[in-house]
Amino acid sequence: MGAGKKRVLDEASGTPRAKKTKTDETTKKPKDKASKAAQPDSALVADEIDFPRGGGTSLTPLEVKTLRAEAAKEADKELFEVCVEKSVKRRRKSEAGGKAKASDKDGKKSTGIRIEHLNYKVYGWLLTCVQRVAVGMKILGQVVAVEPLALIVSLPNQLFAHVPITHISTQLTHILENMDDAEMNASDDEDDEGTSSRIPDLYEIFRPGQYVRAVVTAVRAPGATDVAGLGRARDEVQRASRRIELSLVPEKVNAGVAKGDLRAGFTLSAAVKSVEDHGYILDLGVSEVSGFLSFKDARKGPFDNESKLHVGRLLDVAVSKMSGNGRTCNVSVDQQMLRTAALTEVSSVTSIVPGALVQSLVTAVQPDGLILQVLGFFDGTIDEFHLPPGDPEDNYKVGQKVKARVLYDISPSTPPRFALSLVEHVVNYHTKSVDSDTELREAYPIGTILDAVKVVRVESERGLIVEVGPEVQGFVHISQVSDEHVPTLSALSGAWKVGTMHRARVTGYFPLDGILQLSLKPSVLAQKFLQVADVQVGEVIKGTVKKLTDSALFVSISGSVDGVIWPNHYADITLKHPQKRYKPGGSVKCRVLVVDPERKRVALTAKKTLVESSLPIVAQLSDAQVGVVTHAVVFKTSEKSLQVEFYNNLKATVPAREASETTLPSLPAAFPIGKPVQVRIIAVDAESGRITASIRQASPNFKSAITDISGVDIGDIVEGVVSDIRKDKAVVTLKPTQVTALLSLTNLANRREVSVAQLRSTLKVGDKLQDLVVTSRNPEKGFVLVAMKPKEKEALLQKNHLSLDAVQPGQLVGGRVLRHNRHGALIKVTNSITGILAPTDAADDYENGKPFPAVDSVLKAVVLSVDKERRQLTLSTRMSRLFPAQDKPVVDREITSLDSLKVGETVRGFIKSVAEHGLFVTLGRDIDARVQIKELFDDYVKDWKSRFSVNQLVKGRILSINPEKKQLELTFRSGDLKRDNRGQLSLSDLSEGQKIDGRVKRIEDYGLFIEIEGSKLSGLCHKSEISDNKDADVTLALRSFREGDKVKAVILSIDTEKRRISFGLKPSYFEEKDFEQDGEESEPEDEDRANNTFGVVEGADESDAEDEPADDASEDGDAGKESDENDEESDDAEDVAMDVDLTLDLQQPSGSSAAPRASAPTEALNLEDGFQWSVPNPSQDVDMESDEESDEDGQQEGKKKKKKRKEIEQDLTADMHTKAPESNADFERLLLGSPNSSYLWIQYMSFQLQISEIDKAREIAKRALKTINFREEQEKLNVWIALLNLENIYGTDESLEAAFKDAARHNDSKTVHLRMAEIFEQSDKPEKAEEQFKRTVKKFSQSSKVWTLFAEHYLKRGMLEEARKLLPRSLQSLEKRKHLKTICKFAQLEYKLGDPERGKTIFEGIVDSHPKRWDMWSIYIDMEAVQGDIMSLRNLFNRVLTLKMTSHKAKSFFKKWLELERRLGDEEGQATVKEKAIEWTQRAAGNAES
């Protein structure tokens, strides 16, 4: 009995009383004792011990003590205090259920059940009636958001929770765990089950607004660590959802559901377990029972027409029927059935799952809710948030039957109780709506300001419930009623009492409760933005600087909304010290650049040009209309185009031609990254999203310069008035369109049959011109080109209406060239008829005719054939076709079929294409020939593609004809067509002592690799087998050979096992007759080649450079242009030498044991290390002739030329390096053999200077520049440098300047500028050198090499401060990527020529800011090694080896350290290095294992 009393006391004190509604009554309603009838006992109640053994309790001793104290206080107030009863009683909070004093409207006695709120924490000092969320509680939720790895769920009473992806279903978790294996075993032809077993994304399974049944798995206190799946919380809802963790796994949610409960209409959660032939097997979480969902029934579900449901997918199902064996339960996913299916009976209290629609009986009506009897056995409560709007006492009566949906079970409680909901959107399973079409979220977006909301209920410890509109309520948390701290609220007094009106702002939603989250705080009402989505792109705002880092500036915009400004948007120019402008707490005016609501990011710009811009904002593709002028920012540059960025990451391309009115030397230099520019949109491709813009057309005066020429088309006959006469053109204003046109004076003179000079004297401004034909249009610049209309007789049949049916082969027609294609020139005959003019049909002599007539030119042609289907004519402009009566010679006959060709016949044609395996040459209209690579040259040519181009005229011989396959082979090689196939020679065919002809294949330090001519066999000629003279410099002789040189060699040995051949080149191995025989054999070939040269026709006279200086000069000019166009960035790849060696080591020009040939490649003379006119040391000199030749000069004058040539071939070995040329004849003879050798030309100039023939030396230099092939750029540069040296020493300032400008124009300009400065340095002219360097850095400020060489010049002169001032200047001009290299070079210069301590300081800064740049560490160590301070080196090695690096890099550092210890240190240091290396290796191995 005592135990029972104690339990009653616990219950009475532990359950706070329900709140009373606001009323004017001062007396309590009479209580009805009859209503206190005991609840009938039921076997359905779960087995719970109501009276624990020994009078125990489920509460802790502290909780029992607290509750007893509260009960005593309550009793004192009720019994002894005389006061007016408050209209609203404060609710008291407790963990345990108990008895509470309450009254129903009829004055009946209370049922002893109290209505509670749900929360995860205890408020205040147990002053509110709150049911604590407990682990194991089953609860109904509504999906708010679907994250990649978690769900955000709304719970009753303004709570949020999250569901990790691993708590969706057991099957999905299993798939995630075996994800790697599933990916490895996946195949394209998997069966249906395999396909449905892939990992579905959560957004495929769930949608916002969906209701889910869940069980609480964890409740975390505020400030707990992050939760897996949610990542970094970006808003308040995510932060709130971290507190409670739920699980949707059917085994947990449906725990307690018995097999007997699975009757028709019972709803529960299920997961797809497998996919079978006719449907899905479901996991219901009920033992011994599986669910089955047929494919037919599955189509009724809300699955967005998915073909198959994935394994692991969670479903909300309703039981249709149970199978006869009781093992399978058929279910349905029909939404209407799920909404209306009601639960009528259960086997146990645990069978009632959240979301079940149950029949209930109202047993008590209280001001704050209802008390129900669920299914006739269990207690239930409905709080005010889940009742329809209105007074509960008016809307509901005791004894009324209602259908309510279970929200959660109140646990622990005895007897069991449930919280239910009667609100329409929960009962019908849909989202809260204001009306039939508008959802609550759409009607009241976040940030909406409500001018007047009325307080309808006050919860002193929690907040206010306000009325927003009809059937729409809002909740204001106590922390959101004022900016000041409010400890408690009162319903009868104060600023927030019931009935007061307030201004509020929507800050969020509670979807399950169907109410708005509001705030009354003035600071929130004043905020401009509540969320990132409120920020508008292009809006100008004022923010406050929060923080400045190295990577960005963070700005507070409004409340919790922050923005970021990237470094290239700090200002219009790059700021060196942004911290001086932007200080924390300071104000900054900026414009919104990018808004990303998904990532909750706002990017801003502080560029003054953009902030103060009044031009339109282009933030999306629809804003980008052609003609719109706006501002943009350059974010990427290249030589061909600029990439600019508008707002919201919208980008556009600005072609180089649209960047400026004038030609810019470098786009990146003129438009650095981050520069704001004004652009005009000139083209928009909506499909690809590409936008093309123009900076040039955005200029204010552009409109006046551009005229609309849309009214004039090509071919129109117009008239106009001469408005201006220029050098070779007349400017004509067309009437009446006022379009500007250009007319060639030559064309007008020809039309009037007068000379241009006579035309100039007669043509006046204002003259009218008629019969002008528009030949081309330039819409961008707003003008057209016109020409005089041809005479009537030239129009031929054009004036008649030419029709395709009337055209006959042989007929003469006229037309205009439209364009060129792969078949030839496309001719416009009439508006509907076109013609094709093949290049082989253009002239009888390809070389002197015009096989490719200019576009827009007018010509006459003969019709060869008519293609009526394609409405196209085949035309010819051969004179033999146009005027067959004239008997003119035909150089290139017309080839119409393969039958007209014969093997061995010489033909000419045009290159159609250059392929990987050779050329295709057009010989006739439909006849093409192939030229394989092996048939292009007699000699081996490595870079053969550069020799040929499309449409080039070539000459060759027919090699083979295959009429069946219509294949034709051509050759450019001379000699017999019946050549043996290469590669048939084998080792067995060779013998020791045999003399062979070969070609130098490769050159190594130890000798030459020679390939036998006519085979693929090759062998080695060791350097000891080159010369008979043991004292000769064989290394120098090796340099004289080039790859591809022809040589005669003798086989010394053959190793058949290793397949090796040893050759010898010593002159003693050969007799004179060996060379005589070759000479006699080669002479007819040479004569034949001279008479019949094959290959490129235009290049036939290329070797005779002196006969055609004009052509060579033009080629030279072209080469100069190509050189000038070289990319400035090439100096990034080159290694700048810091020490300039002023001595010149001139090397032997190209030569070999074969006869020198003009076409043989020659090595470029290297003048990188300086230049001097004096002859090198005689011991290192290279003589151009042998002693034998000089001895035999006088004795063998009458010998044949061929023999003399072979003697030169024989002497081009190591034995000839003993004597230099001594006369003009010697030089001329050598230059015949090596015309491209700059070494010989410079020696020739030096020879003239020694005999004071300065003018002759200049002439030789100019002759050399004309003679040397334009492809030999380095050789030409060497001659230019020699000419600059000559002018510097012997010429005047004017002649030197003229030569310098010519050299810069014809070569790489930067190289010539630097060489000029070097020449001044060598000739002791420091002032001129300094002036030259200043010119160079001004012109090439983007080159790191130029700055470092200038600094080196100053340091050599002892001008340390001037040199050091160059570093900050260079960093202003150079691109950022070149900064580190430049700083490193300056530091090296300090070590070598300046102050080593200063260099050390610079390197310390480099390695501190770039610790992983191992190359910088290595250079730093090398510089310190020169100083010889071993202690400093040890310190450096210890520092670098503490950094994380690869074992390969660590090995190189230890190796270098050990070498330095051996050179500068001692044995103890060497031992230390070895120990540290072993220690490092062991540590690295240990880290790898862990």
Side-chain angles (χ1 to χ4, degrees), residues 109-125:
K109 198 169 182 180
S110 168
T111 60
I113 300 173
R114 213 163 54 170
I115 302 169
E116 298 176 332
H117 285 166
L118 190 66
N119 211 325
Y120 60 84
K121 61 182 179 181
V122 178
Y123 279 93
W125 177 249

Side-chain angles (χ1 to χ4, degrees), residues 669-728:
F671 296 95
I673 292 175
K675 181 177 181 177
V677 292
Q678 185 171 308
V679 300
R680 178 189 294 272
I681 297 173
I682 58 177
V684 179
D685 187 348
E687 292 183 1
S688 61
R690 289 176 60 88
I691 302 173
T692 306
S694 172
I695 298 173
R696 179 176 64 86
Q697 297 185 29
S699 59
N701 58 352
F702 179 77
K703 286 187 178 180
S704 59
I706 298 300
T707 307
D708 183 15
I709 64 171
S710 59
V712 180
D713 291 325
I714 293 176
D716 288 353
I717 307 299
V718 293
E719 61 180 26
V721 178
V722 178
S723 58
D724 189 16
I725 302 174
R726 297 179 182 174
K727 183 179 179 181
D728 54 355

Side-chain angles (χ1 to χ4, degrees), residues 156-186:
N157 300 126
Q158 301 90 53
L159 293 185
F160 289 96
H162 71 277
V163 183
I165 192 172
T166 53
H167 288 186
I168 303 296
S169 68
T170 306
Q171 290 75 20
L172 183 61
T173 305
H174 181 70
I175 294 174
L176 290 170
E177 290 172 350
N178 298 292
M179 182 169 55
D180 294 336
D181 296 336
E183 288 180 358
M184 291 172 59
N185 297 329

Side-chain angles (χ1 to χ4, degrees), residues 18-31:
K19 244 189 212 177
K20 282 192 174 182
T21 186
K22 182 179 70 171
T23 178
D24 293 335
E25 297 175 6
T26 57
T27 57
K28 295 181 182 179
K29 297 181 180 180
K31 300 177 183 178

